[in-house]
Amino acid sequence: MITQAAVTEDRNFDDIAHKFAKNIYGSDKGEIRQVIVWEDLQTILASLPASDSPLDVLDAGGGLAQMSQKLAKLGHRITLCDLSSEMLQLAEQDIAKNGLLEQYRLIHSPVQSIAQHQQQPADLVMFHAVMEWLAEPKPALQTLLEQVKPGGIASVMFYNHHGLVYKNVVCGNLPHVLEGMPHRKRFKLQPQKGLKPEDVYRWIEESGFRIEGKSGIRCFSDYIGDRQYMGDYTSEDVLALERQLCRQEPYVSLGRYIHVWARKN
């Protein structure tokens, strides 16, 4: 059963939920993202205190729940919230198909209101690819960080401003960069603004967290040009390169997204 919630001005994917599922998760880009973030989450799980009890996980703005289902399969309890009722319904169908519905609590809610639905802090809060769609990302992040128990982990992924600048330059959109990259309406599935990593890291640390790791998501794949003028390589080679270098600077800071995780003091 999905708990209903309030209206917000932030981006709602009800109108393109099925397209989002196909284009974002059913693509090579989506595969790179899934692989890198899951490797990071395995590192996070290994860093949490050993216990016979399942973890309480909050997947805030979790969409189709691809990543949290991996955690549910390990026996952990998941609260999934999303602003889009269509996305939640698609997630519920997929979760049920995978036999994991008993481990889920589904909340139709903007992330800013999630505290109304949480009875206790979570061991792990995931806040992935949401802030770039919000009118006010900083207070939303602060609200989510408040939901982490002391010693718990926040896993935050965001669209990277520096990666957006670099992609526009590689594509020859220099005037757009020089104009400050004003909002364009033509790409429904591509965020129109990125967040500066230095800002996000500061917001996390100011909330009483210690950053423990960072990964760049798609540090290379998005910048590869016309294959006609390239050497021979496969999609497996691209993924291998991403996995090898995505946690090293300067590549982390050039990822189209950045995944950062931090422990609450």
Side-chain angles (χ1 to χ4, degrees):
M1 179 179 177
I2 299 175
T3 303
Q4 301 298 313
V7 178
T8 172
E9 294 181 359
D10 296 327
R11 181 64 168 99
N12 187 319
F13 289 97
D14 275 349
D15 56 333
I16 53 171
H18 287 82
K19 183 178 180 181
F20 189 97
K22 178 181 177 181
N23 289 21
I24 298 300
Y25 293 108
S27 65
D28 289 343
K29 291 181 178 181
E31 174 66 14
I32 291 170
R33 172 168 150 180
Q34 294 279 89
V35 168
I36 300 301
V37 175
W38 179 238
E39 289 181 348
D40 291 345
L41 284 172
Q42 289 176 302
T43 298
I44 289 168
L45 292 176
S47 77
L48 289 168
S51 172
D52 294 332
S53 301
L55 297 175
D56 287 313
V57 179
L58 170 59
D59 191 4
L64 300 176
Q66 270 87 351
M67 199 57 64
S68 63
Q69 286 190 67
K70 292 177 180 288
L71 296 172
K73 288 176 182 177
L74 296 178
H76 303 302
R77 295 184 295 260
I78 316 294
T79 295
L80 172 68
C81 86
D82 203 278
L83 176 61
S84 167
S85 60
E86 289 293 323
M87 294 285 274
L88 270 182
Q89 288 174 16
L90 289 175
E92 185 175 28
Q93 292 168 13
D94 197 49
I95 293 165
K97 182 186 72 176
N98 292 324
L100 298 169
L101 206 51
E102 289 186 359
Q103 290 166 249
Y104 269 84
R105 191 165 60 105
L106 304 178
I107 308 293
H108 180 214
S109 169
V111 295
Q112 297 92 331
S113 303
I114 191 59
Q116 301 173 15
H117 305 279
Q118 287 290 94
Q119 297 178 343
Q120 60 186 15
D123 298 287
L124 171 63
V125 171
M126 300 195 300
F127 193 35
H128 293 174
V130 178
M131 285 196 290
E132 55 270 17
W133 299 105
L134 303 181
E136 298 291 341
K138 180 181 178 180
L141 174 61
Q142 291 171 328
T143 294
L144 267 299
L145 294 176
E146 290 171 358
Q147 309 311 311
V148 182
K149 68 171 54 174
I153 297 284
S155 165
V156 179
M157 184 169 67
F158 59 93
Y159 197 55
N160 178 20
H161 170 80
H162 302 321
L164 183 57
V165 170
Y166 198 65
K167 177 62 174 178
N168 273 280
V169 172
V170 168
C171 291
N173 297 328
L174 275 67
H176 183 55
V177 174
L178 291 171
E179 292 166 4
M181 299 189 298
H183 180 78
R184 291 175 173 176
K185 294 183 178 180
R186 57 185 178 179
F187 301 118
K188 286 188 175 182
L189 292 178
Q190 178 178 309
Q192 296 301 303
K193 63 178 181 179
L195 288 98
K196 293 183 178 180
E198 55 269 30
D199 290 340
V200 177
Y201 302 155
R202 187 179 70 254
W203 298 344
I204 291 172
E205 291 173 336
E206 287 175 351
S207 295
F209 283 73
R210 180 179 69 258
I211 292 174
E212 296 197 341
K214 304 169 187 172
S215 294
I217 310 297
R218 304 199 325 256
C219 302
F220 306 102
S221 62
D222 284 28
Y223 308 120
I224 297 173
D226 191 333
R227 285 291 300 271
Q228 181 180 350
Y229 305 105
M230 297 288 171
D232 292 331
Y233 65 89
T234 66
S235 58
E236 288 78 12
D237 294 327
V238 175
L239 178 57
L241 182 65
E242 298 279 0
R243 294 177 69 191
Q244 183 178 101
L245 297 176
C246 71
R247 297 174 183 93
Q248 302 176 29
E249 291 291 3
Y251 313 114
V252 172
S253 294
L254 290 177
R256 295 306 300 281
Y257 288 81
I258 291 177
H259 179 222
V260 53
W261 58 100
R263 189 179 304 274
K264 192 167 192 175
N265 296 329

